[in-house]
Amino acid sequence: MKVENIKMKAGVFLVAILACGILGIYLYNNTGGGNNKILNEVGQTFLLVNPVFAQSASSETTFLQEEAGLSIYVNIGRSIDLAVAKTVYRTIEKETSNYTVGSIALPGLSENEDVHCFVHKDGWIVTYYLKGEPISKIVDWNLWSENKLTKNKLQVGLEQMTNALGVVVTSVKYYHFQYPNANKCMIIIETLDTVGEDSFNITITSELAVYERSWSHYAGDTTTAWGGTTNSYFKIDGNIINSISGEGNPVTKHGMLTVTQLPPNMAHIVSVYNDNAESSKPLYGVCIALAYQEP
Amino acid sequence: MNKLLLICLCTIPLLVGAMVGLTFFSSKAKAQGNGIFVEGADDVSTLITEYSADLINVTKDVTPRVVLEYGDFNSKLDLNKSDGLNQAASIVSERIVVEYADFVSTYGLQCSENLTQTATTVKPRITVEYADFIFSTDLGPKPMEDITPPVIGIPIQDPPPDMVMPYQNVTVSVNITDTESGVKNATLHYNINNTATWIDAVMSYNSTSGLYYSMILGQSEETYVKYKIVAYDNAENMAVENNAGQYYTYTVIPEFPSSLILLLVMLLSVLAVVLAKRKLPRKPDT
């Protein structure tokens, strides 16, 4: 009887040890003690994939670099139906599967004042004037109200596109493709609503790299009731840069200034002149636009 | 005799279990809590706030000043300088001055980062006087130019930090996205035992899971491993995920975790006792 008990106990003990060993091996394998099964299963399927837009973005920015000057842009944060965008254009200038380009007519302005618009299906809208056109062209004198410029032409063009797309844009950015190193743009306006001359002074330090000096000159009326003509002048330091005389009502002109016309490190007087005492549209104005790099 | 045997049968495994537990469990347990290794002062991870020496010097010397610019009309620049700013301010010159304009637009820009040195770091400002209205804007960045770095998620480690066995490879997977130019590449950088050398492991994209994967090679017992993930997008913007500077960490634990051994011994003891008690014939009452 004693021998049987001893045998039985020894058997129980061995069984317990065996069970312990099996359990240990089982747990060891399941806690990752051996080679990792997940890695073995998925390790051979790895791929590197670039998004489609990343591969094609450069060609589109290249297009804008070749085409555009001063631009205003936004990404509306969602995809754009290019068919809707095309309805805004006066003229469709370019079409691809990714983007469209066209001109947008501005209210009350002639066709040569149209802004250009680039719309990408990924949400980008870029409204711009062409490379070589002066920055001052963005000034729409019709939008001068209560002693301020309420909008500019690029903003109006962008607004037309976003309205058509049903989005409200709250923040836009500017960029000048012709001057990639320019990081600032400034517009200075002087107006006159009587007979006479008004001016402002400007000094540009030579420490700034100025990429563009341009101007815009507006004359509301340079004719008289008797069919005569009057004059409006845009002057820098007394020198007439542009004159408008009997050319229609109203008239806007713009152009570039040379460095010698507006050299740095000198105080300059920029003025607008009007001698029409009979004008029914008594607004005359001049604008100086600068693109420059601030260190 | 039977009682004595039964007692022995119960106590010996318990004793063995207790010894094993005391030997291994007490020390190894420290290395198993969320990968935070707290044994030894040199290995304790702490939050590091980095200050540049220059910045400290600057902030000591800079005192508040008032700049008045761009009033509705007839506004003028007024620079009240502290003693610390005297030298710098004397070198600051006006960049563009516009007077008597009906409509002028500009920004006042004064963003000195290191005024204690010289005015070389003082950005130019534009001062406009006697203006009715001012318009100025920054130019840039270029449209469709991505300036936003990729977004790196929280990495998933397999096996988890407290279960890495000796010489067991560790897989790290993470979600990385870049909505503008797209993710160009991602790299897992890991470090062994706080040495100066970081090992780079390129992360591979799995289109099925949408995650980036890489592997840390198996290390010997007690090895302390920390890692971070660096990703670039196609516009070369860089993003780093390093757990707020503390890195993701783990320590390789012994092949058989002592806690498991202790648990098994205890279970075994109980099992043996139960079985033994059931099978033992009762002594007849005399």
Side-chain angles (χ1 to χ4, degrees):
Chain A
M1 189 64 183
K2 276 186 178 178
V3 174
E4 278 181 9
N5 276 344
I6 292 168
K7 277 184 181 176
M8 189 267 292
K9 286 169 189 169
V12 167
F13 198 64
L14 284 172
V15 167
I17 289 172
L18 194 63
C20 176
I22 292 167
L23 186 65
I25 290 165
Y26 173 77
L27 288 173
Y28 173 68
N29 285 333
N30 277 279
T31 52
N35 288 330
N36 191 284
K37 288 180 180 176
I38 296 170
L39 179 67
N40 288 340
E41 285 166 8
V42 301
Q44 304 303 315
T45 63
F46 297 160
L47 292 170
L48 276 173
V49 178
N50 279 342
V52 174
F53 180 72
Q55 296 163 9
S56 60
S58 60
S59 67
E60 285 134 17
T61 51
T62 300
F63 166 79
L64 287 169
Q65 277 170 345
E66 291 171 353
E67 167 102 349
L70 184 63
S71 309
I72 183 172
Y73 69 93
V74 69
N75 187 314
I76 63 170
R78 63 168 175 81
S79 60
I80 292 176
D81 183 349
L82 296 182
V84 175
K86 285 196 292 183
T87 63
V88 183
Y89 297 143
R90 184 205 296 264
T91 306
I92 296 172
E93 298 169 343
K94 185 167 183 176
E95 264 188 286
T96 72
S97 57
N98 287 332
Y99 65 91
T100 64
V101 180
S103 63
I104 297 177
L106 301 178
L109 296 174
S110 62
E111 189 170 352
N112 62 6
E113 304 290 320
D114 285 2
V115 295
H116 302 268
C117 190
F118 168 101
V119 180
H120 195 285
K121 65 181 175 61
D122 287 346
W124 293 98
I125 305 171
V126 185
T127 309
Y128 60 93
Y129 274 122
L130 298 176
K131 182 185 287 187
E133 293 189 293
I135 292 170
S136 54
K137 190 177 179 180
I138 70 169
V139 175
D140 185 349
W141 291 98
N142 296 320
L143 301 176
W144 179 264
S145 175
E146 296 180 352
N147 233 17
K148 65 180 180 182
L149 193 67
T150 54
K151 287 176 190 169
N152 63 54
K153 294 176 189 171
L154 296 181
Q155 286 175 307
V156 174
L158 183 71
E159 206 171 74
Q160 288 190 36
M161 182 57 73
T162 53
N163 285 344
L165 296 170
V167 293
V168 176
V169 173
T170 55
S171 176
V172 295
K173 289 179 179 172
Y174 288 80
Y175 184 73
H176 205 304
F177 283 91
Q178 192 175 349
Y179 314 121
N181 294 324
N183 56 18
K184 287 283 179 184
C185 175
M186 175 186 272
I187 287 174
I188 310 157
I189 289 176
E190 181 66 41
T191 60
L192 178 69
D193 57 7
T194 59
V195 173
E197 189 166 357
D198 203 354
S199 65
F200 64 88
N201 296 348
I202 182 168
T203 304
I204 304 170
T205 177
S206 58
E207 293 173 32
L208 291 178
V210 180
Y211 296 94
E212 180 181 312
R213 300 162 167 86
S214 58
W215 57 269
S216 176
H217 179 199
Y218 177 82
D221 190 358
T222 52
T223 59
T224 65
W226 309 104
T229 60
T230 60
N231 302 299
S232 176
Y233 301 128
F234 155 44
K235 300 179 191 174
I236 296 179
D237 300 330
N239 302 314
I240 296 175
I241 305 297
N242 185 65
S243 65
I244 298 173
S245 182
E247 297 178 38
N249 301 315
V251 173
T252 301
K253 291 188 176 181
H254 38 68
M256 296 287 193
L257 290 171
T258 62
V259 177
T260 52
Q261 287 174 311
L262 196 66
N265 292 336
M266 289 174 62
H268 301 285
I269 301 170
V270 178
S271 62
V272 57
Y273 169 85
N274 166 52
D275 59 13
N276 188 350
E278 300 177 0
S279 174
S280 60
K281 295 179 181 176
L283 178 65
Y284 302 85
V286 64
C287 154
I288 294 288
L290 303 170
Y292 57 97
Q293 183 186 40
E294 242 175 19
Chain B
M1 182 62 187
N2 278 341
K3 271 188 178 178
L4 188 63
L5 186 64
L6 186 62
I7 290 167
C8 287
L9 203 61
C10 294
T11 51
I12 288 170
L14 281 171
L15 200 60
V16 170
M19 285 170 67
V20 170
L22 286 171
T23 307
F24 297 104
F25 184 69
S26 59
S27 62
K28 303 309 172 195
K30 292 178 181 175
Q32 296 176 16
N34 289 328
I36 300 172
F37 187 69
V38 293
E39 194 177 25
D42 289 343
D43 294 327
V44 175
S45 299
T46 55
L47 181 65
I48 299 167
T49 307
E50 295 181 357
Y51 297 100
S52 93
D54 283 344
L55 185 61
I56 292 167
N57 290 332
V58 170
T59 51
K60 281 179 183 173
D61 295 331
V62 174
T63 54
R65 58 181 175 170
V66 177
V67 178
L68 300 174
E69 292 179 315
Y70 315 140
D72 289 340
F73 203 85
N74 196 20
S75 64
K76 291 182 178 178
L77 174 70
D78 186 9
L79 183 62
N80 295 327
K81 304 181 288 293
S82 70
D83 289 341
L85 288 173
N86 276 340
Q87 288 191 341
S90 66
I91 308 171
V92 175
S93 59
E94 296 171 341
R95 296 302 191 271
I96 293 180
V97 179
V98 182
E99 295 178 318
Y100 314 116
D102 286 342
F103 175 90
V104 179
S105 122
T106 184
Y107 283 170
L109 296 171
Q110 299 196 5
C111 304
S112 317
E113 293 179 355
N114 196 344
L115 284 172
T116 52
Q117 299 298 316
T118 61
T120 53
T121 55
V122 177
K123 291 185 178 177
R125 61 176 177 270
I126 297 172
T127 305
V128 178
E129 296 180 311
Y130 313 116
D132 286 343
F133 191 82
I134 293 172
F135 174 77
S136 175
T137 185
D138 291 336
L139 295 176
K142 186 189 294 181
M144 291 186 289
E145 185 177 74
D146 180 10
I147 57 167
T148 308
V151 176
I152 305 176
I154 304 298
I156 301 164
Q157 182 183 324
D158 183 40
D162 56 350
M163 298 182 76
V164 181
M165 301 292 178
Y167 302 105
Q168 181 183 13
N169 294 333
V170 171
T171 305
V172 177
S173 59
V174 67
N175 184 36
I176 306 175
T177 55
D178 188 275
T179 54
E180 295 189 40
S181 62
V183 179
K184 182 180 181 183
N185 59 49
T187 308
L188 175 73
H189 301 269
Y190 65 95
N191 177 277
I192 306 297
N193 288 329
N194 283 322
T195 55
T197 306
W198 286 78
I199 301 163
D200 299 343
V202 174
M203 301 195 82
S204 301
Y205 180 69
N206 184 309
S207 57
T208 307
S209 64
L211 300 176
Y212 284 80
Y213 289 84
S214 192
M215 187 169 56
I216 298 172
L217 296 176
Q219 306 293 327
S220 59
E221 188 177 316
E222 297 287 333
T223 302
Y224 175 69
V225 179
K226 62 181 180 184
Y227 62 88
K228 62 182 177 182
I229 293 164
V230 177
Y232 285 87
D233 63 19
N234 286 291
E236 297 299 329
N237 297 304
M238 183 184 76
V240 179
E241 176 51 52
N242 59 5
N243 196 17
Q246 300 196 59
Y247 305 105
Y248 294 93
T249 63
Y250 65 87
T251 302
V252 179
I253 59 177
E255 197 158 332
F256 255 108
S258 52
S259 58
L260 185 62
I261 293 170
L262 181 63
L263 183 68
L264 287 175
V265 169
M266 301 290 275
L267 275 172
L268 192 63
S269 304
V270 172
L271 186 68
V273 168
V274 168
L275 286 174
K277 216 172 184 185
R278 276 189 182 177
K279 296 291 181 184
L280 279 176
R282 290 187 177 181
K283 284 185 178 179
D285 295 335
T286 53

